Amino acid sequence: MTVQKLKLKIFGAARDIMGGRELEIEVNGQTVGALRQTLFTLYPALKQLNSLLIAVNQKYAADDSLIHESDEIAVIPPVSGG
Amino acid sequence: MIKITQKAIDVQKVIDTASSLGAGAVNVFIGTVRDNAHKKNVRWLEYEAYEAMAVAEIRMIIEEATHRWKLLGWAVSHRIGTLKPGEVAVVVAVSTAHRKDSFEACEFIIDAIKAKAPIWKKEVFEGGEEWVSANPQMVMHTN
């Protein structure tokens, strides 16, 4: 397993739970799924959200997508524009 | 034109941008801030966006709309920041040859923006606030 330090942009309700607009976290793994699991472990309150998506380089990414330290990664709680 | 802006939206400018001399219809959706939610008075809304991705998502939505309808013009403007009841939060305008396509395309675009664009709003009430759609039924109390 590879440990990666990922820089995250965080929005909306997820920001209130995680306590910052930008955070760096260590993830043991290389996929979006590994990141999501790490987030749920570090911040269990995220599980109460109706959904939690991850965007990689400004696109929604599935759990099996690979992520790298150089990627732009964002934590996306349920959207509510309009 | 796709715009995410802190400033008040100039609705006429959005309409003018979408208009076309070849069009027989211009359809406009204007989303405004309601003064109530869950039977409570809304004091204001706080909107935020992941701007670069919001623009990219809206661009993909417009591309899909242009495949489904013959759009002669279009424009989308979404406001962020603090908005009071009555203020305009979003404007979608499309122009087409005939009215039916314009209604359908405009509805498709605003529905898709609401479902996909990374934009969020928090309702601020007397004595509490809540990120819209975030939780099943939780209201965070501030005092």
Side-chain angles (χ1 to χ4, degrees), chain B residues 4 12-13 34 56 75 83 88-89 102 135:
Chain B
I4 310 282
Q12 190 59 49
K13 195 175 161 196
R34 260 195 318 272
L83 275 75
V88 173
S102 75
N135 303 90

Side-chain angles (χ1 to χ4, degrees), chain A residues 3-76:
Chain A
V3 175
Q4 299 197 95
K5 270 190 187 171
L6 303 176
K7 278 188 207 140
L8 308 177
K9 293 176 182 291
I10 306 159
F11 298 94
R15 189 180 67 243
D16 287 357
I17 292 168
M18 295 170 66
R21 272 172 203 281
E22 299 206 345
L23 287 177
E24 197 174 271
I25 67 162
E26 286 194 356
V27 175
N28 195 356
Q30 292 178 294
T31 62
V32 165
L35 167 61
R36 273 156 48 88
Q37 279 315 309
T38 304
L39 290 175
F40 287 136
T41 304
L42 292 175
Y43 307 97
L46 291 174
K47 291 180 197 161
Q48 292 165 15
L49 297 174
N50 287 331
S51 67
L52 189 73
L53 298 178
I54 301 295
V56 178
N57 299 326
Q58 303 175 3
K59 282 186 181 153
Y60 291 111
D63 273 352
D64 60 358
S65 302
L66 291 175
I67 38 177
H68 309 94
E69 291 185 344
S70 57
D71 289 332
E72 182 175 316
I73 303 167
V75 179
I76 312 274

Side-chain angles (χ1 to χ4, degrees), chain A residues 9 11-13 15-16 48-50 55 58-60 72 74 76-82, chain B residues 47-48 50 52-53 57 78 90 114-121 131-136:
Chain A
K9 293 176 182 291
F11 298 94
R15 189 180 67 243
D16 287 357
Q48 292 165 15
L49 297 174
N50 287 331
Q58 303 175 3
K59 282 186 181 153
Y60 291 111
E72 182 175 316
I76 312 274
V79 299
S80 53
Chain B
Y47 277 88
E48 68 177 54
Y50 179 13
M53 182 174 164
E57 282 291 318
H78 202 303
V90 60
K114 287 178 79 87
K116 294 180 191 167
I119 301 171
W120 298 268
K121 60 175 169 264
W131 286 104
V132 177
S133 305
N135 303 90

Side-chain angles (χ1 to χ4, degrees), chain B residues 63-90:
Chain B
E63 265 172 36
E64 194 178 338
T66 58
H67 284 123
R68 293 172 66 165
W69 296 277
K70 192 169 177 0
L71 302 187
L72 298 174
W74 56 268
V76 174
S77 188
H78 202 303
R79 183 131 176 240
I80 53 174
T82 303
L83 275 75
K84 294 197 179 111
E87 289 196 271
V88 173
V90 60

